[in-house]
Structures are given as structure tokens and as C-alpha cells.
Amino acid sequence: MKVLIIEDDPLHRSYLNEAIRAALPECDGVLEAENGNAGERLARDLRSSHIVMDLQMSQRNGIEAARTIWKERPETRILFWSNYSDEAYVRGVSRIVPAGAVYGYVLKSASDDRLKLALRSIFIESQCVIDREVRGMQQKSLGNVNGFTEAEYEILIDIALGLTDRAIAHRRNLSVRSVQNRLQQLYVKLGVYQPLGGQDDDGRFNLRARAVAVALLRKLLNHSALERAEADLSAWLARQPRD
């Protein structure tokens, strides 16, 4: 068994290399890639099916790299090792995991023993391992009263990209009224109807812009999520018939 590390920090790569060799005596080789692009190439060329990957990298983030790797080899086992448990990252990972895939999400703040346990559980015992903090964020985002449904999150992404109600309706195969209803639900959950300073709302806020600002502050959105969304939007626009 060979393990591929995809991590842009040299110190973190070195730490992971040692941790993998200590946790997995069955491992007969550890390969390293310094970013998502290099990781994709190595995973493809070497047909690596055991990967430890960072999420936030300067060249091609971990979510995009994992999506490509899983598309080509859905049986690949990936342990995401990240500093972040933001909802944007958690949702990003959840949306790309193939059905039945074995994977993990462990924070870099976890103990050495926790990391070693995750490595053995995923790569040897075929068990998924998700840190408690990340699992809590996953459960929160399943659509309960404090979380957001996937449909509401799509609307949030679309207004962050600047789409009008009519454009969102066309893209999501909804009526304009349905889009507006979902926007109202989104505004309520984000609390954008609650004016700053406790004063009554006098029309000072653009609700769409305010919703995006609150989502960024609450880490529902981040640069990586918007970068992926922009790429998806460009692909969708390219498929639309020209007038």
C-alpha cells in the first residue's frame, strides 16, 4: 500500500509523512505533492487509492482536486486534514463524496493519536472518521431550523454571484415566486431583517447584499466556495443556447 500526501506546507508534509509511517507499518511508500494540481497528476499516474489531503491550498484547493480524483477513481479513500471546519468547507466536501466512499475529515488541531487512529480506520478498516466539530457542522447544515437546506444554500450562492431572481429561477428550474419564497426563508435564517443597533428597519439595507455579508461573516461562504461556484456558473452559461 502506498499513500499520497497532497499538502502545500512543507512542514505539514513532513509531519504527515512521519505520522503515516508510524500509524501504517503496512505502508511501503509515501508520495508527496505540493498542491492540488500535482496531486491530481500523481493520483492519476500512480493510480493511488490512499490519499491524505489539505483543503486550502494556493494552487487548486483540496475540494476541487478530490472531486476530480473521485470522478476518475470513486473507490479512492481520502482523509481530509484541514485547519477549517467552516460550513463552506464541510458542505463542499459533503457535496462531492461518492456514494459508499470511505473518507475522513480530521482537523489539524487534533492530537497525534487521533490522526493515527483516523489513518488506520480509513485505510485499513474501511471506516469513515469525522471529527466531532465537523460532524456537528454537518448535522447543523442538514436543514433544521438553525441550518440551511441545500436549496437555500444554492440560492445564497446564486445571489452572491449576482444573479437576478429571474436568472436564478431559470438556472434552478423554479418559478420566480419560488425563488422569492426561498430568499425570504434565507433572510429569516440569516437574521438580515434584524437591523443593527436595535432600531426599526427603515430601508437602509439591501437585503441581498446584507445576506451575503452575514454569510461571509458566519463562514457559510468563503473564497474557495465562491471560486467553485463561479466555475460552475461559467459552465452552466456555456451550455445555454445563444439568442
Side-chain angles (χ1 to χ4, degrees):
M1 176 180 67
K2 289 182 171 56
V3 178
L4 171 60
I5 297 169
I6 306 176
E7 163 67 65
D8 61 354
D9 186 304
L11 291 178
H12 285 169
R13 285 202 304 274
S14 176
Y15 168 77
L16 283 173
N17 197 315
E18 293 180 6
I20 289 167
R21 294 180 185 280
L24 302 171
E26 302 90 341
C27 177
D28 58 8
V30 179
L31 309 166
E32 297 183 6
E34 68 277 12
N35 58 56
N37 285 328
E40 283 181 27
R41 290 193 298 270
L42 274 177
R44 182 179 302 115
D45 294 343
L46 302 173
R47 301 183 65 81
S48 177
S49 58
H50 302 84
I51 297 174
V52 182
M53 186 182 316
D54 190 12
L55 281 175
Q56 183 61 47
M57 292 181 282
S58 56
Q59 293 187 40
R60 195 150 176 85
N61 64 63
I63 292 175
E64 289 300 323
R67 178 158 59 179
T68 299
I69 290 168
W70 266 327
K71 183 177 180 180
E72 297 177 359
R73 292 173 59 82
E75 73 279 8
T76 302
R77 301 179 184 185
I78 299 178
L79 170 57
F80 295 101
W81 190 59
S82 174
N83 280 319
Y84 305 100
S85 61
D86 302 356
E87 186 164 349
Y89 284 107
V90 173
R91 278 186 181 270
V93 169
S94 298
R95 294 171 81 175
I96 64 170
V97 178
V102 175
Y103 81 104
Y105 194 136
V106 174
L107 296 176
K108 290 184 178 180
S109 58
S111 67
D112 294 351
D113 288 342
R114 174 63 173 167
L115 175 59
K116 291 176 182 178
L117 176 63
L119 288 165
R120 289 206 64 80
S121 297
I122 296 164
F123 296 151
I124 303 299
E125 300 171 11
S126 302
Q127 296 179 357
C128 293
V129 176
I130 312 295
D131 268 1
R132 180 177 300 177
E133 185 176 346
V134 176
R135 179 70 71 187
M137 185 61 69
Q138 285 180 330
Q139 292 171 346
K140 179 182 175 183
S141 66
L142 287 178
N144 59 36
V145 349
N146 296 316
F148 295 85
T149 66
E150 192 64 21
E152 289 165 350
Y153 192 74
E154 287 178 347
I155 296 289
L156 175 61
I157 289 287
D158 285 345
I159 64 173
L161 294 172
L163 296 181
T164 64
D165 290 359
R166 188 175 297 278
I168 295 171
H170 177 51
R171 186 183 188 194
R172 304 299 179 185
N173 295 315
L174 299 168
S175 68
V176 172
R177 183 176 294 277
S178 293
V179 171
Q180 293 169 344
N181 287 338
R182 292 184 185 182
L183 278 172
Q184 298 307 312
Q185 295 167 357
L186 186 68
Y187 295 157
V188 169
K189 290 185 177 182
L190 287 171
V192 299
Y193 286 127
Q194 301 172 11
L196 299 177
Q199 302 298 316
D200 291 337
D201 183 11
D202 58 4
R204 287 175 295 176
F205 293 103
N206 177 299
L207 294 180
R208 297 168 89 94
R210 182 67 184 155
V212 173
V214 171
L216 287 168
L217 290 170
R218 287 177 52 180
K219 299 181 179 180
L220 295 165
L221 296 175
N222 58 22
H223 179 270
S224 294
L226 291 175
E227 190 175 54
R228 293 193 306 274
E230 182 68 26
D232 290 342
L233 176 62
S234 296
W236 177 77
L237 289 172
R239 295 193 298 269
Q240 301 311 299
R242 296 179 180 274
D243 294 334

